[in-house]
């Protein structure tokens, strides 16, 4: 049995979509008149096309518009991560903060302090010609305290976005 | 159908703080928006929630709408993306609901034409992207360009998906009908 080509298949589909016109349409009609394989393929594609055409527009519930308008001030629910992901993120941030705090109390960062001279840095030495760059003073304890502070702020934001705000919004929505 | 001027006037009113104007826009596009969400989620309550959420997002992002495209195209893209994120979030729940829907569907299958039942079953075997492409393409009044804009795909990619999906459905239908004929 003769096989139809990809180009013929594509043209059959365009024909069903009503996108073939003029000479291209006439050409396909002529081919359909002489090729039983092409006719058969058209009859295989037609029920699929007819079935999909029944793909009608669905209507939402009658209160749809009211619900949208009522919740406009609420903001979109999906902008927040899921509570599960939020809790995992929160746990990660808290563990990191806890470890930093423990290391800080154990005095791990007490020795890390001093100053860095940019001019003396090996990769930069050859580019620095004038000794005018300032020295940077580093205090390990202070840096870690800042990191812990940032972590705690982050933890609060995660708690608010993933648990507190969605919870209160849901309560407001049910009220 | 709203004209472009009417649509722009309503958008201006919404931006000026009139929520009634937004209610008109929601009312105008709710059915298409809901149908898009339904095609993605395959579940009416979920689709309704996603469509509502999409409209709420669109309201909050309206200031950023640059009016180069039609409002409807911009809105449908938000609805589509919202529905996709709902689907990702609720995948496990959805699978059990879809399973339930299939069971309910097979009960009503007796009343429908055999071919339609077979095509409907064959749809479940299409990959997700092809199934969505063909379902959105066949929603009345959506052109290939609009579906491409909505889903963020290139027109050629979408056209290939639609053709491939239809081809596979036809092949699957032929195969099932042959098998059915042999078992008679």
């Amino acid at each position: 049995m003769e096989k139809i080509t990809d180009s013929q298949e594509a043209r059959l589909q365009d024909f069903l979509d009503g996108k073939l016109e003029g000479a291209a349409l006439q050409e396909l009609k002529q081919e359909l008149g002489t090729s039983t394989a092409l006719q058969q393929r058209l009859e295989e594609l037609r029920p699929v096309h007819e079935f999909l055409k029944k793909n009608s527009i669905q209507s939402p519930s009658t209160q749809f518009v009211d619900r949208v308008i009522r919740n406009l001030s609420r903001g979109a629910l999906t902008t927040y991560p899921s509570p599960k992901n939020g809790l995992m993120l929160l746990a990660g941030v808290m563990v990191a903060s806890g470890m930093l705090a423990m290391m800080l109390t154990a005095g791990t960062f007490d020795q890390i302090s001093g100053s860095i001279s940019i001019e003396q840095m090996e990769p930069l030495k050859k580019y620095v010609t004038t000794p005018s760059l300032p020295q940077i003073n580093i205090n390990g304890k202070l840096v870690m305290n800042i990191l812990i502070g940032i972590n705690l702020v982050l933890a609060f934001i995660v708690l608010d976005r993933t648990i507190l705000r969605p919870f209160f919004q849901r309560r407001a929505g049910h009220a | 159908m709203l004209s472009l001027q009417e649509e722009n006037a309503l958008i201006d009113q919404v931006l000026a703080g009139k929520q009634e104007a937004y209610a008109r826009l929601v009312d105008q596009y709710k059915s298409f928006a809901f149908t898009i969400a339904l095609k993605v989620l395959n579940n009416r309550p979920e689709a309704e929630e996603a469509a509502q959420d999409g409209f709420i997002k669109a309201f909050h992002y309206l200031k950023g709408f640059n009016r180069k495209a039609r409002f409807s195209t911009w809105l449908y893209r938000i609805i589509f993306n919202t529905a996709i994120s709902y689907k990702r979030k609720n995948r496990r729940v959805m699978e059990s609901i879809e399973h339930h829907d299939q069971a309910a569907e097979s009960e009503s299958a007796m009343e429908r034409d055999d071919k339609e039942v077979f095509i409907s079953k064959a749809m479940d075997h299409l990959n997700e992207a092809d199934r969505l492409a063909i379902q959105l393409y066949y929603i009345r009044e959506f052109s290939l360009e609009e579906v491409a804009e909505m889903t963020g795909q290139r027109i050629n990619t979408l056209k290939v998906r639609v053709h491939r999906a239809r081809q596979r459905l036809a092949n699957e239908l032929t195969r099932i009908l042959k098998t059915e004929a042999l078992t008679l």
Side-chain angles (χ1 to χ4, degrees):
Chain A
M1 188 174 158
E2 60 174 317
K3 279 193 172 180
I4 64 163
T5 63
D6 287 345
S7 150
Q8 285 175 315
E9 171 94 26
R11 280 188 296 138
L12 281 178
Q13 295 207 28
D14 286 342
F15 171 68
L16 287 171
D17 286 338
K19 285 179 181 164
L20 277 192
E21 288 174 339
L25 180 64
Q26 288 309 316
E27 193 186 328
L28 182 73
K29 279 184 176 173
Q30 276 180 1
E31 284 179 51
L32 277 168
T34 55
S35 166
T36 46
L38 211 56
Q39 284 169 22
Q40 194 182 328
R41 188 59 180 162
L42 181 62
E43 290 320 307
E44 287 169 3
L45 285 166
R46 201 188 294 277
V48 172
H49 178 69
E50 295 301 326
F51 171 79
L52 291 164
K53 263 187 7 188
K54 289 180 187 167
N55 200 353
S56 59
I57 297 295
Q58 305 280 316
S59 296
S61 65
T62 47
Q63 302 92 34
F64 186 88
V65 179
D66 289 342
R67 281 201 196 126
V68 171
I69 300 303
R70 209 170 48 228
N71 290 322
L72 281 181
S73 57
R74 188 191 69 184
L77 278 175
T78 49
T79 49
Y80 311 123
S82 69
K84 186 184 155 200
N85 290 346
L87 278 173
M88 283 170 67
L89 191 60
L90 190 62
V93 172
M94 293 310 289
V95 166
S97 304
M99 283 171 71
L100 282 176
M102 276 170 64
M103 287 164 83
L104 203 61
T105 43
T108 314
F109 303 107
D110 290 354
Q111 305 303 316
I112 306 173
S113 60
S115 59
I116 296 174
S117 172
I118 297 172
E119 295 154 27
Q120 298 308 311
M121 287 176 142
E122 279 303 325
L124 299 175
K125 251 181 181 175
K126 55 184 171 188
Y127 301 109
V128 179
T129 49
T130 49
S132 57
L133 293 171
Q135 287 197 336
I136 301 169
N137 293 317
I138 292 195
N139 181 333
K141 268 178 107 172
L142 181 70
V143 170
M144 288 307 136
N145 275 324
I146 291 170
L147 277 178
I148 291 172
I150 292 171
N151 263 336
L152 290 177
V153 171
L154 188 66
F156 177 74
I157 293 170
V158 172
L159 180 72
D160 176 58
R161 292 289 165 92
T162 60
I163 296 161
L164 299 180
R165 218 182 281 195
F167 172 73
F168 286 113
Q169 277 179 353
R170 246 175 247 133
R171 269 185 62 175
H174 288 301
Chain B
M1 182 83 181
L2 292 172
S3 70
L4 194 59
Q5 282 105 327
E6 285 174 314
E7 201 172 86
N8 279 331
L10 283 174
I11 292 169
D12 288 336
Q13 288 176 36
V14 177
L15 291 174
K18 287 188 180 173
Q19 287 196 348
E20 315 88 74
Y22 197 63
R24 271 200 69 195
L25 285 172
V26 176
D27 194 41
Q28 180 68 36
Y29 297 113
K30 65 180 180 192
S31 296
F32 276 107
F34 173 66
T35 307
I36 292 165
L38 190 60
K39 295 300 171 201
V40 175
L41 291 161
N42 257 338
N43 175 275
R44 288 188 77 89
E46 281 280 333
E48 182 139 342
E49 200 181 323
Q52 279 176 22
D53 206 12
F55 272 111
I56 294 168
K57 276 184 186 172
F59 176 79
H60 290 292
Y61 301 155
L62 197 60
K63 269 185 194 166
F65 171 53
N66 59 19
R67 306 194 195 197
K68 281 180 187 164
R70 284 293 301 248
F71 171 75
S72 54
T73 312
W74 177 77
L75 171 75
Y76 297 150
R77 184 160 190 171
I78 293 177
I79 301 281
F80 177 79
N81 288 334
T82 307
I84 290 285
S85 70
Y86 263 71
K87 192 173 180 78
R88 284 194 193 123
K89 227 184 246 181
N90 304 327
R91 193 174 286 272
R92 281 188 189 169
V93 182
M94 285 304 299
E95 275 168 6
S96 66
I97 292 169
E98 274 171 13
H99 186 72
H100 174 76
D101 283 353
Q102 280 170 12
E105 200 170 291
S106 63
E107 279 171 26
S108 64
M110 301 288 280
E111 299 160 14
R112 293 196 296 171
D113 179 37
D114 278 353
K115 273 187 185 174
E116 289 196 3
V117 177
F118 296 145
I119 298 169
S120 185
K121 277 183 184 168
M123 290 280 279
D124 296 334
H125 296 289
L126 290 177
N127 75 47
E128 186 67 20
D130 288 1
R131 184 184 66 78
L132 255 179
I134 201 162
Q135 287 194 313
L136 293 174
Y137 175 68
Y138 270 95
I139 293 179
R140 190 166 40 93
E141 293 177 28
F142 282 168
S143 66
L144 207 60
E145 288 77 11
E146 281 173 308
V147 180
E149 177 77 25
M150 190 194 307
T151 56
Q153 293 178 34
R154 290 165 65 179
I155 292 177
N156 282 341
T157 310
L158 197 71
K159 196 172 178 182
V160 168
R161 286 195 190 286
V162 170
H163 275 227
R164 187 172 56 200
R166 224 164 11 192
Q167 203 172 2
R168 285 184 181 162
L169 288 175
N171 292 346
E172 186 68 8
L173 179 65
T174 311
R175 191 189 64 75
I176 294 173
L177 287 176
K178 272 183 189 164
T179 318
E180 287 286 308
L182 285 172
T183 53
L184 281 175

